[in-house]
């Protein structure tokens, strides 16, 4: 998984820039009946539809690489939902089309006339897209308005931003609700910036409906991106929710732009001539659909430590703003220390401290944060307990880290994971025990009477700092974690040692050559893959199919590229192809349109 994947992690780099990913072309075989691509998509060899999601004036100047037509980007996902909504109304239109056309002269046939840009329109929302935006039809049902912060059944007022007539939709800005839908509850949002900040899309939905919506995202992903026929795609299970719906996020990266003129060509050529700040700039996240940063003092989806850190670092930036000539991104990463409880502690809990760990001096744009001044912030110890076993024999002291090179510590059940603070690790620890337990319970098939050899080996591709290799190690005789990032492998080895794991090894290797180093027998091996948002490239999938492990567990932060890749594995190569056993969504990021997916596949006999 890669942490971006949500809005807040799109700013892990010091300078804000949209994140675009691309994936390699997928080979096509004919062994499995497949559906054609969704209407509106073009082939890999043709120029893909490549309009920016929100084409403001600044976005027009931005150079973007052409993306393949099946890359699972927001633009492509939105386009698939738009085409689906238009198609749903097409049958009704066709029923009366011949009769209407007989009565009309060619010049009198109605056609869609777009409203002027920045004009205000009323829209009835028909459905919620997989991007988290509401979709409403034009009066003639031949065009779609995309309206953020809305739910099906809402009647809203929106401002027209950009037209994409060939794609059949118009982007708008949300203004206000005229008539709320029954499922909308405006008492639920806990954030004063909701409906402005781009981070969360669905705080106004009850949590049960959020989980239903995310199940639908997985279903639509396999319908639109796998190109598999419905009969070979199993029913998607109900989404597993997060124990925490707020205060769950262990990492935030608020940011601020440089002073006016700091990014001109002249300023880039001669940094010494840059002017400093005259006033404190907005520090926070972007206004929905724009590059404009809005000032955000607090983010309620962050953990308590991260939220305290955000307040403190904002204050310090303000105090030291004269030292900055460029913008910066502030890293706020939670770290946890477990301390055994003493008898006195159990009788009378005392306060602990939330501390910051950072750099020694403020830097320019490549800096992750200004320097903390070394003071501490008082907070109560977090008493941990288990619903079945009662209080646990330790307390947890939370700190926040601002230095990307510092070491953060997280716990998943009793496993300890230490990572470089700026590196990737899952950002919702509250759901990780459920998540790893689900995979543990399903990664090895039930014993059968067929005499198959037992599965003894695990290959953890894209292993990162060893989350799956370590938490699943007791199930296997030998486990191997592989990652392209050398720093991640260093962390993985240290984590295995810290957790007394002796049957796991780790190595650095490029994904395209991963299986060259594997000596495990395929029939006794399960592979778990956890790629970045762009999914797996074609060389990796082809070598995976040539190796042919008995089982594959595909974990993904982008269920659309997961569906695309699973389609390739189901289609197969020569005598190796897979069947989908189960599809499951996990809500790692409540209040947002993001859903994590787990697909479990078994090699077909």
């Amino acid at each position: 998984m890669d942490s971006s994947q949500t809005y807040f992690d799109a700013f892990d780099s010091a300078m804000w820039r949209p994140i675009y990913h691309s994936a390699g072309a997928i080979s096509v075989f004919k062994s499995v009946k497949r559906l054609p691509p969704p209407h509106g998509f073009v082939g890999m060899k043709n120029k893909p539809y490549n309009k920016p999601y929100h084409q403001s004036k600044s976005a027009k100047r931005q150079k973007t690489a052409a993306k393949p037509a099946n890359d699972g980007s927001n633009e492509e996902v939105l386009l698939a939902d738009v085409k689906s909504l238009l198609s749903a109304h097409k049958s009704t239109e066709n029923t009366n089309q011949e009769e209407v056309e007989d009565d009309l002269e060619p010049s009198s046939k109605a056609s869609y006339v777009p409203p002027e840009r920045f004009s205000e329109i009323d829209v009835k929302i028909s459905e919620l897209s997989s991007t988290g935006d509401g979709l409403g039809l034009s009066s003639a049902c031949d065009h779609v308005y995309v309206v953020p912060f809305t739910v099906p059944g809402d009647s809203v007022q929106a401002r027209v931003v950009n037209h994409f007539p060939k794609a059949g939709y118009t982007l708008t800005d949300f203004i206000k609700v005229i008539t709320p839908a029954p499922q909308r509850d405006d008492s639920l949002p806990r954030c004063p910036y909701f409906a402005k900040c781009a981070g969360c899309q669905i705080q106004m939905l009850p949590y049960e409906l959020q989980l239903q919506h995310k199940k639908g995202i997985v279903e639509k992903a396999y319908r639109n991106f796998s190109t598999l026929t419905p009969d070979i795609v199993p029913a998607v299970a109900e989404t597993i929710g997060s124990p925490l719906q707020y205060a769950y996020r262990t990492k935030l990266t608020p940011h601020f732009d440089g002073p006016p003129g700091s990014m001109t060509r002249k300023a880039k050529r001669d940094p010494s001539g840059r002017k400093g700040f005259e006033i404190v700039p907005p520090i926070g996240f972007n206004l929905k659909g724009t590059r404009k940063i809005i000032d955000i003092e607090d983010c309620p989806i962050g953990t308590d430590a991260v939220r305290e850190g955000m307040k403190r670092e904002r204050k310090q930036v303000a105090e030291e703003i004269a030292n900055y000539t460029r913008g910066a991104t502030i890293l706020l990463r939670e770290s946890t220390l477990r301390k055994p409880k003493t008898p006195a502690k159990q009788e009378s809990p005392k306060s602990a401290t939330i501390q910051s760990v950072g750099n020694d001096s403020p830097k320019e744009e490549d800096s992750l944060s200004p320097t903390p001044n070394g003071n501490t912030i008082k907070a109560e110890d977090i008493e941990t307990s288990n619903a079945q076993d009662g209080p646990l024999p330790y307390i947890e002291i939370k700190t926040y880290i601002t230095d990307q090179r510092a070491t953060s510590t997280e716990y998943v059940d009793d496993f300890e994971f230490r990572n470089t603070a700026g590196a990737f690790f899952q950002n919702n620890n509250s759901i990780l025990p459920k998540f790893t337990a689900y995979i543990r319970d399903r990664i090895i098939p039930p014993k059968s009477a067929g005499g198959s050899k037992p599965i003894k080996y695990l290959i953890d591709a894209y292993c990162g700092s060893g989350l799956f290799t370590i938490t699943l190690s007791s199930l296997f005789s030998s486990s191997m974690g592989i990652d392209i990032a050398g720093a991640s492998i260093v962390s993985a080895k240290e984590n295995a040692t810290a957790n007394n794991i002796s049957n796991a090894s780790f190595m650095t290797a490029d994904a395209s050559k991963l299986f060259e180093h594997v000596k495990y027998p395929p029939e006794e091996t399960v592979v778990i893959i956890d790629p970045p948002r762009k999914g797996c490239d074609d060389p990796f999938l082809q070598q995976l199919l040539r190796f042919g492990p008995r089982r594959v567990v595909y974990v993904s932060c982008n269920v659309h590229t997961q569906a695309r890749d699973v389609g390739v594995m189901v289609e197969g190569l020569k005598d190796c192809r897979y069947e989908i056993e189960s599809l499951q969504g996990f809500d790692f990021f409540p209040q947002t349109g993001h859903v994590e997916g787990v697909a479990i596949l078994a090699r077909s006999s």
Side-chain angles (χ1 to χ4, degrees):
M1 287 159 272
D2 86 5
S3 63
S4 80
Q5 331 347 334
T6 63
Y7 168 81
F8 298 95
D9 279 325
F11 305 102
D12 282 352
S13 58
M15 173 181 163
W16 180 84
R17 57 181 64 86
I19 293 178
Y20 294 97
H21 299 284
S22 60
I26 302 301
S27 300
V28 177
F29 306 94
K30 298 182 180 179
S31 56
V32 173
K33 184 179 178 182
R34 300 172 71 93
L35 296 172
H39 176 68
F41 294 160
V42 294
M44 290 285 189
K45 296 182 180 179
N46 298 325
K47 182 179 180 181
Y49 177 77
N50 192 40
K51 291 283 187 181
Y53 179 69
H54 192 300
Q55 189 172 331
S56 62
K57 290 183 179 179
S58 57
K60 288 182 179 179
R61 294 195 297 267
Q62 178 191 337
K63 294 181 180 180
T64 59
K67 292 181 288 233
N70 205 16
D71 70 342
S73 64
N74 265 11
E75 297 98 318
E76 189 186 22
V77 172
L78 177 62
L79 180 60
D81 286 347
V82 166
K83 296 298 181 182
S84 177
L85 179 59
L86 291 173
S87 297
H89 291 266
K90 194 171 183 180
S91 57
T92 304
E93 178 185 329
N94 289 340
T95 302
N96 301 319
Q97 187 173 8
E98 291 185 5
E99 181 179 343
V100 172
E101 287 183 348
D102 289 341
D103 296 334
L104 292 175
E105 295 295 329
S107 60
S108 65
K109 292 181 181 180
S111 60
Y112 172 73
V113 179
E116 293 184 5
R117 287 188 68 193
F118 309 118
S119 62
E120 296 179 359
I121 58 174
D122 293 347
V123 183
K124 178 76 171 183
I125 304 301
S126 300
E127 67 176 55
L128 193 57
S129 74
S130 295
T131 64
D133 298 320
L135 305 180
L137 286 162
S138 64
S139 57
C141 296
D142 58 353
H143 194 82
V144 173
Y145 296 108
V146 181
V147 189
F149 310 116
T150 58
V151 301
D154 278 344
S155 292
V156 301
Q157 189 177 68
R159 181 177 293 107
V160 174
V161 176
N162 266 316
H163 296 294
F164 300 92
K166 291 184 179 179
Y169 68 88
T170 292
L171 293 177
T172 72
D173 285 337
F174 170 79
I175 297 177
K176 66 178 181 179
V177 175
I178 299 172
T179 305
Q183 59 187 334
R184 185 186 189 97
D185 186 347
D186 285 320
S187 70
L188 292 175
R190 298 185 189 178
C191 179
Y193 309 101
F194 179 66
K196 295 180 182 178
C197 173
C200 297
Q201 299 84 44
I202 52 176
Q203 287 191 26
M204 69 303 217
L205 271 183
Y207 193 55
E208 296 78 11
L209 296 182
Q210 292 189 29
L211 297 179
Q212 291 178 22
H213 168 61
K214 295 182 181 189
K215 175 184 176 182
I217 292 176
V218 181
E219 291 172 337
K220 288 192 292 183
Y222 278 81
R223 186 161 62 243
N224 293 335
F225 289 84
S226 73
T227 68
L228 299 172
T229 54
D231 57 298
I232 57 177
V233 178
V236 177
E238 299 297 327
T239 307
I240 294 177
S242 171
L244 298 176
Q245 289 90 57
Y246 283 91
Y248 64 81
R249 193 174 174 92
T250 57
K251 179 185 177 185
L252 289 174
T253 52
H255 56 287
F256 59 94
D257 286 337
S262 63
M263 296 306 294
T264 63
R265 291 182 181 179
K266 182 178 179 180
K268 291 179 180 179
R269 288 195 302 267
D270 182 16
S272 63
R274 291 176 181 158
K275 295 182 180 180
F277 288 92
E278 295 181 359
I279 60 173
V280 178
I283 305 169
F285 304 107
N286 279 48
L287 181 69
K288 171 68 174 177
T290 76
R291 290 173 175 246
K292 180 181 179 181
I293 298 174
I294 55 177
D295 197 57
I296 294 180
E297 296 181 357
D298 186 25
C299 180
I301 68 171
T303 63
D304 289 345
V306 167
R307 293 173 72 181
E308 289 288 350
M310 186 169 180
K311 294 174 184 177
R312 174 172 171 172
E313 297 304 315
R314 281 173 48 86
K315 180 180 178 182
Q316 185 154 344
V317 168
E319 293 173 350
E320 301 179 355
I321 196 64
N323 297 331
Y324 289 85
T325 58
R326 302 174 70 177
T329 295
I330 304 170
L331 171 66
L332 300 168
R333 165 72 80 180
E334 181 179 275
S335 186
T336 302
L337 172 65
R338 283 185 177 176
K339 296 182 66 174
K341 287 182 180 178
T342 63
K345 180 67 189 177
Q346 292 175 354
E347 295 172 4
S348 178
K350 297 180 180 179
S351 64
T353 58
I354 292 179
Q355 298 177 324
S356 60
V357 181
N359 299 321
D360 294 330
S361 60
K363 299 184 183 298
E364 293 189 346
E365 187 164 36
D366 58 350
S367 161
L368 285 171
S369 93
T371 310
N373 57 23
N375 294 332
T376 58
I377 302 171
K378 293 292 183 181
E380 290 301 314
D381 286 342
I382 299 174
E383 296 289 345
T384 52
S385 62
N386 182 289
Q388 295 179 344
D389 301 330
L392 297 175
Y394 54 78
I395 61 170
E396 291 187 336
I397 300 175
K398 304 291 187 177
T399 65
Y400 73 93
I401 294 175
T402 60
D403 182 355
Q404 68 167 341
R405 295 171 293 277
T407 299
S408 64
T409 303
E410 306 285 357
Y411 291 87
V412 181
D413 292 322
D414 291 328
F415 294 101
E416 178 182 348
F417 291 91
R418 299 173 185 172
N419 308 275
T420 303
F424 170 73
F425 194 77
Q426 285 295 346
N427 292 336
N428 181 353
N429 278 5
S430 75
I431 199 173
L432 285 179
K434 284 185 178 183
F435 182 60
T436 54
Y438 175 88
I439 295 174
R440 167 181 284 273
D441 292 343
R442 292 161 178 79
I443 195 167
I444 293 179
K447 293 182 180 179
S448 63
S452 298
K453 296 180 180 179
I455 292 179
K456 298 179 181 179
Y457 307 103
L458 169 68
I459 298 173
D460 182 5
Y462 309 92
C463 72
S465 59
L467 175 64
F468 297 119
T469 316
I470 291 170
T471 58
L472 303 173
S473 61
S474 63
L475 300 176
F476 303 97
S477 300
S478 178
S479 302
M480 178 185 295
I482 307 174
D483 200 282
I484 192 173
S488 295
I489 293 300
V490 170
S491 294
K493 291 178 178 179
E494 292 175 350
N495 289 331
T497 300
N499 289 283
N500 298 315
I501 305 299
S502 59
N503 64 337
S505 61
F506 298 91
M507 62 181 298
T508 304
D510 187 273
S512 63
K513 300 178 180 179
L514 186 149
F515 290 96
E516 292 180 3
H517 309 280
V518 174
K519 305 300 181 184
Y520 297 155
E523 180 62 24
E524 301 174 48
T525 301
V526 59
V527 172
I528 185 165
I529 53 180
D530 184 10
R533 285 187 65 79
K534 68 179 182 179
C536 303
D537 59 18
D538 190 55
F540 175 85
L541 291 173
Q542 298 307 307
Q543 64 172 324
L544 174 66
L545 289 169
R546 286 193 293 271
F547 177 70
R550 182 141 148 227
R551 291 173 72 78
V552 175
V553 178
Y554 193 139
V555 178
S556 178
C557 58
N558 185 342
V559 292
H560 306 93
T561 52
Q562 181 196 63
R564 176 200 68 199
D565 296 345
V566 167
V568 174
M569 287 187 276
V570 171
E571 194 176 70
L573 177 67
K574 295 183 179 179
D575 62 344
C576 178
R577 56 185 55 90
Y578 288 85
E579 297 176 354
I580 308 173
E581 274 191 8
S582 62
L583 297 173
Q584 177 70 63
F586 285 83
D587 189 18
F588 270 70
F589 299 99
Q591 319 308 330
T592 77
H594 176 84
V595 61
E596 201 89 4
V598 178
I600 297 180
L601 299 94
R603 180 167 174 167
S604 174
S605 58

